[in-house]
Amino acid sequence: MSDKTLAIVAPCYNEQEMLPTSIPVLLQTLDTLINADKVSPASRLYFVDDGSRDNTWQQLADASKAHPGRIVAIRLSRNKGHQNALLAGLASTSEDMVVSIDADLQDDPVNIEKMVDAYHNGSEVVYGVRAARDTDTKFKRLTAEGYYHVMKKLGVDLVFNHADFRLMSRRALNALLEYPESQLFLRGMVREVGFASSVVEYDRQSRAAGESKYPLRKMLSLAWHGISSFSTAPLRAITLLGITASALSLMTLLWVLATRLLTDNAIPGWTSILLPLLFIGSVQLLSLGVIGEYLAKLYTEIKKRPRYHISERLSNQADEH
């Protein structure tokens, strides 16, 4: 029987409709792996309640009591966002390999067995990659795939169509936990860790219950965090924009002078004042906005505030391994 332990970490936010389905499915996934001698019977599930406002915590607490030693329920003191909740769960584990998966189970847990097989074959990081985006709307598919292409152009190393469904070895996870930044973009940070990696392709499922907790606003915020955390291209673009604006302004100035000196068509004062003013003003505002975003990131990082606080942890097991 394998002596390698597995932890499955699932962050949860207002998932009371989904948990009655996801808890049994993930327990069954563990049992399948244990019975196949691929992981140790000491393997566990970790659920992290990210400050839910519904009955999520009570369900997790009940599940921990009903399955002592198999389910660890962790409750954050307040909502800190998906990435922080996921990191809180990862940091709470002690197992040999750790799989992260969303509680909605749209990333099919059946594929965890393939990840474990890849781990036993030498991979320390196994990325779950969507084979297709057939379940997405056309808008989401175009924007999501477009985002990965943009990130690649900006020099950011990401696995195409990979989110946060992955397996990490204990060594790889310990390396990830050394990263101190508070503005988390885990799918980029994991790539920075390195180590031997492989990919498991899968088909994403439709959500069985409840609603998505990642609306467009949050997806755009995460996308910008990824760009500003791993690329300085926007700052360099400001320099290019400044050069372009100076060149255009010079050409506009020459045109204004030529119109004024060589023709009688010039309206005194209007062209020479309004056009350069509007153009330069818009470029300056855009530049200040981008610089402000990076300064805000520095402001957040330099305070070094804790990324989360755990208010409760239930495992109902006297001896934590």
Side-chain angles (χ1 to χ4, degrees):
M1 180 171 289
S2 175
D3 61 347
K4 297 296 184 180
T5 52
L6 169 68
I8 300 178
V9 177
C12 310
Y13 178 64
N14 293 342
E15 292 288 4
Q16 65 178 11
E17 293 91 352
M18 191 64 210
L19 285 177
T21 299
S22 58
I23 291 174
V25 168
L26 290 175
L27 283 171
Q28 180 58 50
T29 300
L30 274 187
D31 288 338
T32 299
L33 293 170
I34 292 170
N35 293 334
D37 293 338
K38 294 185 177 182
V39 302
S40 165
S43 301
R44 296 190 290 182
L45 304 180
Y46 290 77
F47 289 94
V48 183
D49 176 20
D50 185 23
S52 298
R53 294 170 296 187
D54 60 5
N55 201 40
T56 293
W57 174 247
Q58 188 58 54
Q59 291 183 11
L60 294 179
D62 292 343
S64 180
K65 294 175 183 176
H67 302 278
R70 302 198 69 196
I71 293 180
V72 179
I74 299 168
R75 187 181 194 182
L76 301 189
S77 59
R78 54 163 293 184
N79 178 254
K80 297 296 289 184
H82 176 273
Q83 297 288 277
N84 283 306
L86 176 54
L87 189 70
L90 296 176
S92 299
T93 65
S94 58
E95 285 73 12
D96 298 304
M97 45 185 154
V98 181
V99 169
S100 56
I101 188 171
D102 288 340
D104 58 19
L105 299 190
Q106 289 186 268
D107 302 322
D108 196 342
V110 168
N111 296 284
I112 293 177
E113 184 171 2
K114 299 177 184 178
M115 292 180 169
V116 172
D117 289 340
Y119 168 84
H120 286 303
N121 288 329
S123 295
E124 298 204 53
V125 182
V126 185
Y127 299 98
V129 173
R130 295 177 63 171
R133 285 186 171 269
D134 298 335
T135 58
D136 288 347
T137 63
K138 185 176 181 180
F139 173 76
K140 185 174 182 180
R141 182 167 61 252
L142 289 174
T143 53
E145 292 184 348
Y147 174 70
Y148 284 104
H149 288 301
V150 169
M151 292 291 276
K152 184 176 181 180
K153 292 291 185 182
L154 293 176
V156 182
D157 183 19
L158 289 182
V159 177
F160 189 74
N161 274 341
H162 165 70
D164 287 304
F165 182 36
R166 71 180 72 87
L167 177 147
M168 300 186 72
S169 69
R170 172 52 46 187
R171 182 168 71 148
L173 179 55
N174 286 342
L176 175 66
L177 295 177
E178 292 178 6
Y179 285 64
E181 57 252 50
S182 58
Q183 298 290 316
L184 299 177
F185 187 66
L186 292 176
R187 66 191 70 175
M189 293 166 64
V190 172
R191 290 293 287 172
E192 291 291 315
V193 167
F195 297 111
S197 65
S198 59
V199 165
V200 168
E201 291 191 345
Y202 68 98
D203 293 319
R204 189 169 170 84
Q205 310 297 309
S206 298
R207 175 181 268 269
E211 298 179 351
S212 173
K213 306 307 184 297
Y214 240 75
L216 180 61
R217 175 180 59 82
K218 288 188 176 181
M219 287 191 291
L220 290 175
S221 176
L222 180 64
W224 175 247
H225 279 318
I227 293 173
S228 57
S229 294
F230 287 88
S231 176
T232 58
L235 291 174
R236 291 171 180 165
I238 289 177
T239 302
L240 180 60
L241 191 60
I243 295 172
T244 303
S246 298
L248 290 175
S249 297
L250 179 59
M251 287 188 288
T252 302
L253 177 61
L254 293 175
W255 172 74
V256 169
L257 288 174
T259 303
R260 178 68 180 86
L261 297 174
L262 303 177
T263 72
D264 297 325
N265 300 326
I267 299 175
W270 182 83
T271 304
S272 60
I273 294 175
L274 190 60
L275 286 182
L277 182 65
L278 291 176
F279 184 72
I280 297 299
S282 61
V283 169
Q284 287 177 334
L285 288 174
L286 175 62
S287 301
L288 287 173
V290 174
I291 293 171
E293 288 289 340
Y294 278 88
L295 287 176
K297 241 179 172 27
L298 289 173
Y299 173 72
T300 302
E301 294 292 343
I302 203 168
K303 289 185 292 187
K304 298 188 180 301
R305 290 179 177 174
R307 288 172 289 202
Y308 54 82
H309 295 287
I310 295 176
S311 63
E312 293 183 64
R313 174 185 167 118
L314 301 176
S315 64
N316 293 282
Q317 183 179 14
D319 295 322
E320 293 279 352
H321 63 276

